[in-house]
Amino acid sequence: MTKHSGPLVELTDISKSFGAVRALQGATLTVDRGEVVGLVGDNGAGKSTLMKVLSGVVVPDSGSIRIKGEECRFRSPADAHRKGVATVYQDLALCGSLDVASNLLLGLEPRRLGVFLSRAELHRTAQRVLSDLRVKIPSTRQVIEDMSGGQRQSVAIARAVIHEPDILIMDEPTAALAVAEVEAVLRLIRRVASEGVAVILITHRLQDLFTVCDRIDVMYEGRSVASAAADSLTIESLVGIITQGEMQRMQGTHD
């Protein structure tokens, strides 16, 4: 089979309306293998809706989704998952009453004789996964609800990566984390990308974008308005791009 040489992910002219609200108006996004792309914009810009389209949560009204050059039609998250799309949401979707290993390998638990859960193997496998990702967790037997926000975020990312996705969508992964925890999560994102995973990062912490992203895409009112290499921007210039649409809207109301 010939290896696909174009972008790993191509979203083209994606539109979606919810009643009279046009959430997406011809939005476009491309991501290469091993690339970290930051997706930013004011509240209501369409970032989360566009990612819900890619993850199969929302079915677009029009436009195309291509993964490895193949056009895809996602009707559910399961469809997207089968094409290698994984998502880590802001609420993490971890089970607080279970330990790290049980969360990490939920649905993939090793069993003896195909029936009996092997707790020892469960924890050995979990520790190996975390070590490969260089995630520092005191113990795989630690209960999730007793962990810090950064530790929980690292477990959620590791759980997504264990399924070997091609595309990882991350929604506000560093929100409400301490400085040291933010740095640890950003390092983890770069390690995931170094394995060839295409990472899409939604965040309001603009400083994080310049630490971890290769490219930054900006949305405004459901449209893609700019895409630039992260090292060609500053926080000030990025804020200018994000707010330009709002400034134009305000000027229009005064004309």
Side-chain angles (χ1 to χ4, degrees):
M1 182 180 293
T2 303
K3 187 175 180 179
H4 176 61
S5 59
L8 179 64
V9 184
E10 297 174 90
L11 302 178
T12 306
D13 200 25
I14 302 292
S15 294
K16 179 65 180 181
S17 294
F18 298 97
V21 178
R22 299 180 68 189
L24 296 173
Q25 303 182 57
T28 296
L29 178 71
T30 63
V31 190
D32 292 327
R33 187 175 292 279
E35 185 180 32
V36 182
V37 173
L39 188 60
V40 298
D42 270 341
N43 292 333
K47 311 179 297 294
S48 293
T49 303
L50 185 61
M51 290 303 94
K52 286 177 180 177
V53 167
L54 179 57
S55 60
V57 175
V58 168
V59 178
D61 298 329
S62 61
S64 70
I65 303 170
R66 289 184 177 273
I67 308 293
K68 301 179 186 177
E70 177 186 350
E71 184 150 4
C72 304
R73 294 186 181 277
F74 299 151
R75 300 295 178 184
S76 69
D79 289 345
H81 183 75
R82 282 190 286 270
K83 286 296 184 180
V85 181
T87 305
V88 177
Y89 293 105
Q90 190 172 354
D91 62 7
L92 302 182
L94 297 174
C95 184
S97 61
L98 296 180
D99 61 25
V100 170
S102 298
N103 271 278
L104 194 61
L105 295 168
L106 193 64
L108 300 172
E109 297 89 347
R111 296 185 180 276
R112 291 181 288 109
L113 304 177
V115 177
F116 305 102
L117 175 64
S118 173
R119 297 292 303 178
E121 183 61 26
L122 178 76
H123 287 282
R124 281 195 295 270
T125 302
Q127 186 57 60
R128 184 169 63 251
V129 169
L130 295 174
S131 295
D132 288 347
L133 290 171
R134 284 178 272 173
V135 173
K136 295 180 180 179
I137 300 292
S139 171
T140 57
R141 289 177 168 79
Q142 188 171 4
V143 176
I144 291 292
E145 62 189 9
D146 295 334
M147 301 174 72
S148 70
Q151 290 173 329
R152 295 183 193 193
Q153 186 63 256
S154 295
V155 171
I157 296 171
R159 187 172 72 174
V161 171
I162 203 171
H163 293 280
E164 299 184 343
D166 290 310
I167 303 137
L168 180 61
I169 302 167
M170 307 203 63
D171 187 1
E172 300 287 355
T174 56
L177 298 187
V179 173
E181 292 186 322
V182 169
E183 293 174 352
V185 169
L186 294 180
R187 286 195 298 270
L188 179 54
I189 291 172
R190 283 287 359 159
R191 283 196 289 273
V192 170
S194 72
E195 297 296 322
V197 179
V199 180
I200 304 170
L201 173 64
I202 298 177
T203 182
H204 284 91
R205 287 177 51 92
L206 300 186
Q207 64 269 37
D208 292 353
L209 300 171
F210 294 93
T211 300
V212 75
C213 291
D214 300 294
R215 183 161 47 87
I216 301 172
D217 279 36
V218 182
M219 295 187 67
Y220 178 75
E221 290 191 346
R223 299 185 299 273
S224 303
V225 296
S227 179
D231 60 10
S232 71
L233 298 167
T234 63
I235 288 182
E236 291 74 17
S237 63
L238 180 57
V239 169
I241 296 170
I242 292 172
T243 58
Q244 184 178 25
E246 178 64 15
M247 291 169 60
Q248 290 175 346
R249 186 189 67 79
M250 291 176 65
Q251 289 170 356
T253 62
H254 294 299
D255 288 344

